[in-house]
Amino acid sequence: MKAYIFPGQGAQFTGMGLDLYENSDVAQHLFEDANRILGFHITDIMFEGSVEDLKQTKVTQPAIFLHSVILSKVLGDKFQPEMVAGHSLGELSALVANGVLTFEDGLKLVSQRALAMQKACEIQPSTMAAVLGLDNEVVEKVCEETAGIVVAANYNCLGQIVISGEVDAINTACETLKEAGARRALVLPVGGAFHSPLMEPAREELAAAIENTTFNTPICPIYQNVTTTAVTDANEIKKNLISQLTAPVKWTQSVQQMIADGATHFTEVGPGKVLQGLLRKIDRSVTTESALLETAKQ
């Protein structure tokens, strides 16, 4: 079975999307639509902006979403997913790709998500850290026993977990995790504690927007970050998407379930190859590739 996967924040790069814009009328139309919907020329920043420009909260998440979704649209009839999944932000890209959300509604939600998360980050100093070389249970136990708010936030692949929480709690947990045998426990250059209880203000804000958005029946199952199982019910998809901001991204578990359900071929749709790298660490037996503009041309 063919699975299509969509990357999250951190996959952006300067010049992203320009090849799509220059080589596809469909892409050009959608990018111009995006400028109108967002109220500013995100294409100028994506195509010509610096790394710092792309780090702006209002830009990063919509930019990755646009690259992924527009690439899936340009693929046309060659885009035939039998299952989809997205890493964090990528879940919204996946929901447009499998027909649950319209392009416009998806982009509006991504923009609202980014701004809500930024506001939540400003309420309390917080951060995230990557932990390598420990079992999930060890990391979870250290988080539970550390004073303050710190939780396992991203289960990226076997032996790679990202923890999220208050700055002091993260620093303390990192020291404890190194003592417990972690190969690395490295604080990441991020603006806040994503996928932790500290995102509750953002979850509440985004929940209102999600509740007021139409969710359609998907053309194929989505494996959501919160549940890791195949979901096709629009109301359940909506509920899981609301929970996502404060819940962990169970990427390893989602991929394992997709493989158990018959996925043999994974195509990453969007900037970079981060998810393909994680996939190879989860299960080397499956085939992985990037969706490319060249393969979309008739």
Side-chain angles (χ1 to χ4, degrees):
M1 292 179 73
K2 289 184 179 178
Y4 286 79
I5 50 176
F6 298 81
Q9 201 158 334
Q12 68 273 10
F13 63 90
T14 56
M16 60 188 292
L18 182 59
D19 58 336
L20 293 171
Y21 188 92
E22 289 179 339
N23 290 286
S24 166
D25 291 340
V26 171
Q28 195 171 116
H29 174 73
L30 288 169
F31 274 121
E32 294 300 343
D33 254 6
N35 288 337
R36 173 186 59 79
I37 293 162
L38 293 171
F40 67 96
H41 278 253
I42 192 170
T43 49
D44 290 349
I45 306 170
M46 290 176 68
F47 302 164
E48 302 167 12
S50 66
V51 172
E52 287 305 310
D53 292 333
L54 276 172
K55 280 184 181 175
Q56 295 177 73
T57 301
K58 70 174 185 178
V59 173
T60 313
Q61 293 190 26
I64 294 165
F65 168 88
L66 287 171
H67 191 287
S68 295
V69 170
I70 291 174
L71 178 53
S72 75
K73 300 286 189 189
V74 170
L75 291 173
D77 291 340
K78 294 185 180 180
F79 182 74
Q80 298 286 345
E82 293 173 274
M83 53 178 76
V84 296
H87 190 288
S88 188
L89 160 71
E91 192 163 282
L92 280 154
S93 306
L95 288 173
V96 175
N98 80 342
V100 171
L101 294 170
T102 65
F103 174 77
E104 181 161 347
D105 283 345
L107 181 55
K108 285 178 178 176
L109 285 179
V110 167
S111 181
Q112 289 168 304
R113 181 184 191 271
L115 296 174
M117 289 171 77
Q118 178 60 34
K119 277 191 247 176
C121 292
E122 291 166 359
I123 293 171
Q124 183 173 4
S126 57
T127 191
M128 304 176 82
V131 182
L132 305 182
L134 286 179
D135 290 340
N136 295 350
E137 294 75 18
V138 176
V139 177
E140 290 163 354
K141 189 169 187 290
V142 168
C143 288
E144 286 171 14
E145 294 175 353
T146 301
I149 296 174
V150 56
V151 296
N154 293 354
Y155 294 82
N156 285 334
C157 65
L158 302 175
Q160 185 189 127
I161 295 182
V162 175
I163 59 175
S164 181
E166 296 166 334
V167 173
D168 289 346
I170 288 285
N171 289 332
T172 301
C174 282
E175 291 308 310
T176 307
L177 289 162
K178 287 174 189 171
E179 290 167 9
R183 199 162 73 249
R184 293 186 78 183
L186 180 69
V187 176
L188 299 172
V190 297
F194 307 136
H195 301 289
S196 83
L198 294 173
M199 285 292 112
E200 181 58 25
R203 189 198 68 79
E204 290 176 3
E205 188 174 330
L206 192 64
I210 289 172
E211 290 292 0
N212 289 321
T213 301
T214 299
F215 277 54
N216 305 302
T217 302
I219 60 171
C220 69
I222 179 165
Y223 287 70
Q224 291 185 274
N225 295 170
V226 172
T227 62
T228 78
T229 54
V231 185
T232 54
D233 179 77
N235 288 326
E236 189 180 346
I237 290 170
K238 186 179 283 193
K239 181 187 74 174
N240 293 337
L241 191 62
I242 291 170
S243 299
Q244 195 218 54
L245 281 187
T246 53
V249 174
K250 297 178 181 176
W251 186 251
T252 304
Q253 300 90 325
S254 297
V255 169
Q256 288 171 332
Q257 189 59 53
M258 293 169 89
I259 293 168
D261 289 350
T264 54
H265 192 283
F266 286 79
T267 302
E268 184 168 2
V269 188
K273 297 183 178 180
V274 171
L275 297 184
Q276 292 171 73
L278 297 181
L279 268 165
R280 283 191 286 273
K281 292 176 182 175
I282 295 168
D283 191 328
R284 285 192 167 274
S285 71
V286 296
T287 303
T288 63
E289 66 173 355
S290 298
L292 298 172
L293 177 63
E294 288 72 24
T295 64
K297 291 180 180 176
Q298 301 297 321

